[in-house]
Amino acid sequence: MKGIEILRAYQEEIIEAIPSTIIILDAGLKILYANRNFYVKSGKKEREVVGEKLERVFSSTLIQKTRIDEKIRQVFDTGVPFSGEQLRYPGGLFFFYKIHPLKEVDLSIRRVMLFMEDITELTRLEEELHDSYVKLENAYAELKDEDEAKSDFISAASHELRTPLTVINTYLEMFEDGMLGDIDDKQYEKLAIIRSQTDQIIRLVGDMLDTLRLDSRKFKIQKYPIKLEEIAKTAVDEVSKLADIKEHTISLRINGKLHQIEGDAQRIKQVFNNLLTNAVKYTPNKGRIEVDVKEDKKRLLVSISDTGIGIPEKEHEKIFQKFYTVGGNSLMQESDRMGLGLTIAKGIVEAHGGRIWVKSDGEGKGSIFYFTLPTYD
Amino acid sequence: MTKTKLLVVDDAPFVLKALRDTLEAHGYEVHEASNGEEAIVRYSEVNPDVVLMDILMPKMDGISAIRNIVSNDPDAKIIAVTAVGKRGLEAECVDAGASGFILKPFKTRDLLVTIGRLSNYEGN
C-alpha cells in the first residue's frame, strides 16, 4: 500500500484522531456525523448530536451571530466552499471554521463538511505577541531617544573638556620645557604626575568619542600601506616606560619578513597601546610581557601575552563589551580607562577586516590577546 | 629678521592667552580675534603669515571665516584648530580653504611644525 491507498485504509481512524472538529450535514442542516474531537470539545453525547438539526446542537446566539446556517445553505446552492472565518464563542473561546461541499459522482451536493478548529490558545498567543511587540516598539523608541541624548551629551562633554585641556596642556608643556623658569627635581616629580594624569584625561576624551563612533557604526578608517612591525616597535617602546615602573620585562619578536598591510597606522597603534597598557596594568610587579608578530596565510597574527591576573573563560567574550573590566568591577579603578580600551581595539581590528580574541587558562594564569590583520598584496 | 606674524582666533579667552604665551615664547608675533567676524577684520589689518582658526565660535564660525579670508586672499595660510572631533570636519575645513588641521588638545610641537611648514612655504 502507498499514497492514497493508505489514507483509504485508515480513513476512519485518521478522522477520529485529528485534533480538529469535523461535522457532516445534509441539506436540511441535520447533523449526520461528528468526529471524536467534537464530542471531546463540546461534552455532548453522540445521541444528542447525530440526526439532530444544527440549531439544536449549536447555541442560537452563535448561529445568529455567525449566520453559519445561511453560509451552509449557500454552499449547498452554489457548490463553492466557504473559505473560512474566525468566530468568537461565548466565554472567550475562538474558533476557525470552513464549510466544504462533498460532491457526489453526478456532481450534485447532498452533504457538506463543517470543519472547526479551536484557536483560542493561538489567538491568545497572537494577542500577547502583539502586546509584546507594541511594548517592545515603545521601549525601543524610548531607548533610541535616550541613546541619542546620551550621544549628544558625550559629544558636547568631550568638546567642553577639550578646551580647558588645551589650556592646561599648553601651560604644562611650557613648564616642562623650562619656558616658565627653572624647575627643581621635587617640582619636576610632581609635574610628571600632572603630565601623566592630564594625558590620561586626554586619552579618555578620545576614547569617549571613539566609543560613540563605534556605536553609530561611523567608525571609518583611512587605509594606507603600512609596516606592522614598525608600529609594534613604536608601541612597545612607548609602553616600556610604564612597564619599567612595575619592573616588567617586555619583549618584541618579529618572525621572518612580513608583508605590508593596508590600514590606519594611528588606529593600529591604538590597538597595541590598549592591549599593552592592559597587560602592564593587570600583571603584578616583575611580570613578563611578550609581543609576537608573524605572518600566517595572508594575514598577520599578533599575540600579546602576559603573566598577569588572567581572565576566567566565561568572561572571554564580555571583556570586549563597553565599560567592562576584569573582575566585574566596571567602576573606574585606579588608573583604569573606563573599560573602553578593548571595545575600541575590537572596533579598530574589525574595521580592518581582522579578528581579535583572548586565551587565558583562568585566574592567575596570565592572558594572551591575539589579533589578525589581512595582508596587502 | 622680522618675526612671523600669527593671528590666533578663538572664543575661549584662556585658550587665546595660553596660545599667546607659548607662541610668543617661541618667538612669534601674536595677534588675537575672538570670533569669525573679528578675524576677517583683523586679517586685513594685520596681514598675518599664518592664522590659527577655532571652528565653533559665536557670531561667525571658523569655516565661514576661512572661506571669507581665502576668497579675498587665496594665499592665506590658515590652520583649523578645533575641539570638535567630528568625522569629515577636516575635509570641510580643507574645502573651505584651510591649509592645516589640528585637534585640541594638541602637542605644542605639532602646532609649531605646522606653523613652520606654512610660514616657510611662503618664505621660499
Side-chain angles (χ1 to χ4, degrees), chain A residues 158-159 162-167 169-171 173-174 177 179 202 209 213 218-222 264 267, chain B residues 10 12 14-15 17-19 21-22 25-26 56 82-87 103-109:
Chain A
S158 150
H159 177 256
R162 279 171 193 269
T163 302
L165 275 171
T166 304
V167 178
N169 190 59
T170 304
Y171 281 120
E173 283 189 315
M174 288 184 80
D177 294 345
M179 294 169 96
I202 293 173
L209 279 182
R213 291 198 191 110
K218 276 187 217 147
F219 207 67
K220 288 198 188 101
I221 42 155
Q222 287 157 338
D264 187 326
R267 288 299 191 184
Chain B
D10 204 301
F14 281 125
V15 173
K17 181 162 168 47
L19 281 170
D21 285 345
T22 193
H26 281 99
L56 262 190
T82 177
V84 181
K86 203 176 72 182
R87 283 272 136 175
L103 196 62
K104 288 176 186 167
F106 44 79
K107 287 197 171 75
T108 304
R109 182 166 31 95

Side-chain angles (χ1 to χ4, degrees), chain A residues 104-321:
Chain A
E104 305 299 324
V105 190
D106 62 0
L107 298 179
S108 68
I109 297 158
R110 278 179 253 153
R111 296 176 187 108
V112 297
M113 180 182 81
L114 174 62
F115 171 88
M116 294 176 80
E117 185 143 36
D118 185 350
I119 54 163
T120 311
E121 188 61 14
L122 204 69
T123 311
R124 196 183 58 77
L125 285 175
E126 213 177 287
E127 277 169 7
E128 251 174 42
L129 202 70
H130 183 255
D131 282 357
S132 310
Y133 176 76
V134 170
K135 273 187 207 148
L136 215 71
E137 218 176 29
N138 291 340
Y140 177 70
E142 251 171 61
L143 265 176
K144 219 173 141 194
D145 285 351
E146 264 173 45
D147 200 53
E148 264 165 37
K150 185 197 74 182
S151 298
D152 289 349
F153 172 76
I154 295 179
S155 198
S158 150
H159 177 256
E160 292 308 307
L161 285 167
R162 279 171 193 269
T163 302
L165 275 171
T166 304
V167 178
I168 294 169
N169 190 59
T170 304
Y171 281 120
L172 199 49
E173 283 189 315
M174 288 184 80
F175 273 114
E176 287 165 336
D177 294 345
M179 294 169 96
L180 298 171
D182 289 340
I183 289 167
D184 65 33
D185 287 352
K186 209 170 153 190
Q187 287 168 332
Y188 190 80
E189 188 199 323
K190 312 303 179 229
L191 213 53
I193 296 172
I194 300 177
R195 162 54 66 203
S196 82
Q197 298 298 292
T198 306
D199 284 349
Q200 202 167 311
I201 305 175
I202 293 173
R203 275 198 304 267
L204 194 64
V205 170
D207 281 1
M208 276 159 61
L209 279 182
D210 283 349
T211 317
L212 272 192
R213 291 198 191 110
L214 285 175
D215 281 352
S216 58
R217 315 210 179 286
K218 276 187 217 147
F219 207 67
K220 288 198 188 101
I221 42 155
Q222 287 157 338
K223 287 186 172 177
Y224 298 103
I226 46 174
K227 290 191 169 113
L228 191 67
E229 56 270 39
E230 283 172 10
I231 298 172
K233 203 174 169 309
T234 320
V236 168
D237 282 349
E238 280 179 14
V239 84
S240 54
K241 227 190 247 173
L242 196 64
D244 284 349
I245 298 171
K246 293 189 79 176
E247 298 175 68
H248 294 323
T249 57
I250 179 162
S251 65
L252 170 66
R253 197 182 135 101
I254 311 282
N255 298 280
K257 202 169 149 36
L258 307 177
H259 274 97
Q260 286 197 335
I261 59 164
E262 220 183 21
D264 187 326
Q266 282 289 105
R267 288 299 191 184
I268 290 170
K269 207 178 109 212
Q270 204 179 346
V271 176
F272 275 104
N273 285 345
N274 292 359
L275 294 178
L276 286 168
T277 318
N278 277 350
V280 170
K281 191 162 66 187
Y282 292 114
T283 300
N285 285 6
K286 297 187 180 172
R288 207 173 57 247
I289 296 162
E290 287 168 5
V291 183
D292 187 282
V293 186
K294 66 175 157 212
E295 190 158 342
D296 172 42
K297 293 175 206 150
K298 293 203 163 187
R299 53 175 206 170
L300 299 187
L301 174 68
V302 180
S303 70
I304 296 176
S305 68
D306 62 49
T307 54
I309 59 171
I311 301 157
E313 191 162 355
K314 62 175 167 40
E315 300 192 37
H316 284 189
E317 300 271 334
K318 285 190 205 149
I319 52 167
F320 294 100
Q321 291 168 8

Side-chain angles (χ1 to χ4, degrees), chain A residues 282 323-333 336:
Chain A
Y282 292 114
F323 305 121
Y324 196 86
T325 55
V326 173
N329 185 356
S330 62
L331 289 175
M332 234 196 274
Q333 294 170 334
D336 189 38

